Amino acid sequence: MDILSIIIVLVLLVLAYKSIKILRPYEKGVVERLGKYQRTVESGLVMIIPFIETIKKVDMREQVVDVPPQEVITKDNTVVVVDCVIFYEVVDPFNAVYNVVDFYQAVTKLAQTNLRNIIGDLELDETLTSREMINAQLRKVLDEATDRWGTRVVRVEIQRIEPPKDIVEAMSKQMKAERMKRAAILEAEGYKQSEIKKAEGDKQAAILEAEGKAEAIKKVADAEKYKEVALAEGQAKAILTIFKSMHEGNPTNDIIALKYLEALEKIADGQATKILLPVETAGILGSIAGISELFKERTEKTPTPEEKE
């Protein structure tokens, strides 16, 4: 093989190397012809005219920008150190290549400026408790500003909001006092609940004791009632037996009158008692009067010892 053939082969290899480009799946290419935008190509094998066309590869994956910490003054004149990270992705390769020179520096300065504006409108307490709001507001501002750069801001995350040391110490003391206050409140609430439970227990015990006493009294009353009923039934049976015996023996009015007097004596029981008698007792009372006259006559007829002498 002569030298000319070798030169031709080398030229062809160089031309092939310059004309064939491979783009990865996450890449797109911007093709320029003699310094002028020609077209945007997708990933894969791309053919260009060597020495006339050039291609600029654009990474379409989500990327991150770490914004350096900076001092920001809050609305209540407190200096805090704030830093954040920005996640973005390219959506238009043409604008990403031709509308911004250094996207990293541009988005960093834009984020720092807007952080000062957003936090400058908040007091320290709001700044420390409103990270989600700051993230959302900053992402919205950056997304609108970077739209002409062919990028989309996916999200923004505040990494650190650090107040001065003296304020941190004061906040630590305040939090400690607040925790002690909550502990005291919880302890008092626990004691209150304990006393309430104790009072409810005493109340329940008193109710149970009263119910027990009432049940005992009821049982005693039932026993007394049973006793009285049994006595009354016994007396009724005894009276019935006496009544039957008396009628079977054909008693005279005198015997009935004596039994009636004995019954009245038991009823009176030695006390001054007014006894109401039914009308049907008139015959018996007549027998009693007859017995009284009989005793009186016998007394008059019976001589005294002096008369016998």
Side-chain angles (χ1 to χ4, degrees):
M1 179 179 286
D2 56 5
I3 297 176
L4 181 59
S5 298
I6 295 174
I7 292 173
I8 293 174
V9 171
L10 290 175
V11 170
L12 291 175
L13 291 174
V14 171
L15 290 175
Y17 176 77
K18 290 291 185 179
S19 62
I20 298 174
K21 300 295 180 181
I22 297 176
L23 299 181
R24 305 294 296 275
Y26 52 82
E27 292 178 329
K28 288 186 179 182
V30 177
V31 179
E32 294 179 351
R33 181 179 296 173
L34 299 176
K36 184 178 180 180
Y37 171 76
Q38 182 64 29
R39 66 188 183 277
T40 299
V41 295
E42 300 293 331
S43 60
L45 183 64
V46 179
M47 300 294 293
I48 62 174
I49 301 172
F51 305 108
I52 296 176
E53 293 181 343
T54 58
I55 186 170
K56 293 181 179 180
K57 297 180 179 180
V58 180
D59 195 331
M60 305 297 291
R61 291 176 296 181
E62 185 174 312
Q63 302 179 61
V64 61
V65 175
D66 189 358
V67 180
Q70 64 170 338
E71 292 185 347
V72 180
I73 301 176
T74 63
K75 187 177 180 180
D76 50 356
N77 297 323
T78 302
V79 179
V80 295
V81 177
V82 183
D83 67 341
C84 67
V85 290
I86 302 170
F87 298 87
Y88 74 96
E89 61 182 5
V90 177
V91 294
D92 188 348
F94 177 86
N95 289 331
V97 172
Y98 296 111
N99 287 349
V100 62
V101 176
D102 187 347
F103 178 82
Y104 185 93
Q105 184 178 7
V107 76
T108 298
K109 297 300 181 182
L110 186 62
Q112 289 178 333
T113 302
N114 283 280
L115 269 176
R116 285 194 293 268
N117 294 336
I118 294 172
I119 294 179
D121 292 334
L122 301 174
E123 295 183 355
L124 178 60
D125 292 341
E126 294 176 322
T127 303
L128 297 175
T129 58
S130 305
R131 290 198 178 196
E132 292 297 328
M133 183 272 291
I134 297 173
N135 291 339
Q137 192 170 348
L138 183 59
R139 191 204 69 80
K140 181 180 178 182
V141 173
L142 293 178
D143 190 38
E144 292 175 355
T146 59
D147 183 61
R148 61 184 304 272
W149 297 342
T151 60
R152 181 176 70 90
V153 177
V154 179
R155 63 185 182 277
V156 178
E157 297 292 340
I158 299 293
Q159 292 190 107
R160 179 181 57 168
I161 300 177
E162 185 177 325
K165 291 184 178 180
D166 56 343
I167 294 181
V168 173
E169 292 177 357
M171 292 175 64
S172 177
K173 292 180 180 179
Q174 181 181 0
M175 291 175 62
K176 182 178 179 180
E178 185 67 23
R179 285 194 295 268
M180 293 179 64
K181 176 183 176 182
R182 291 180 181 177
I185 292 174
L186 290 175
E187 183 179 359
E189 186 66 23
Y191 178 77
K192 175 184 175 182
Q193 293 296 329
S194 175
E195 291 298 317
I196 291 174
K197 293 292 184 182
K198 183 180 178 182
E200 290 179 351
D202 293 342
K203 176 183 176 182
Q204 191 66 24
I207 292 173
L208 292 175
E209 183 180 0
E211 290 178 351
K213 290 182 178 179
E215 188 67 23
I217 292 172
K218 181 180 178 182
K219 289 182 178 180
V220 172
D222 291 340
E224 291 293 333
K225 177 182 176 182
Y226 180 79
K227 178 182 177 181
E228 294 295 332
V229 170
L231 289 175
E233 290 178 351
Q235 291 178 358
K237 289 181 179 179
I239 292 172
L240 181 60
T241 302
I242 294 172
F243 179 79
K244 290 174 67 178
S245 299
M246 290 177 65
H247 278 272
E248 289 175 357
N250 295 320
T252 62
N253 287 338
D254 296 341
I255 295 174
I256 293 173
L258 289 175
K259 291 294 182 181
Y260 193 81
L261 290 174
E262 290 177 0
L264 291 178
E265 181 182 1
K266 290 180 179 181
I267 292 172
D269 195 17
Q271 299 178 1
T273 306
K274 181 182 290 185
I275 302 173
L276 300 177
L277 299 177
V279 178
E280 289 80 359
T281 59
I284 298 175
L285 292 177
S287 298
I288 294 172
I291 293 171
S292 176
E293 290 295 331
L294 179 62
F295 283 146
K296 184 177 180 181
E297 291 177 0
R298 288 183 179 181
T299 303
E300 291 177 353
K301 290 180 179 182
T302 303
T304 61
E306 289 84 0
E307 292 177 349
K308 287 181 178 181
E309 291 177 359

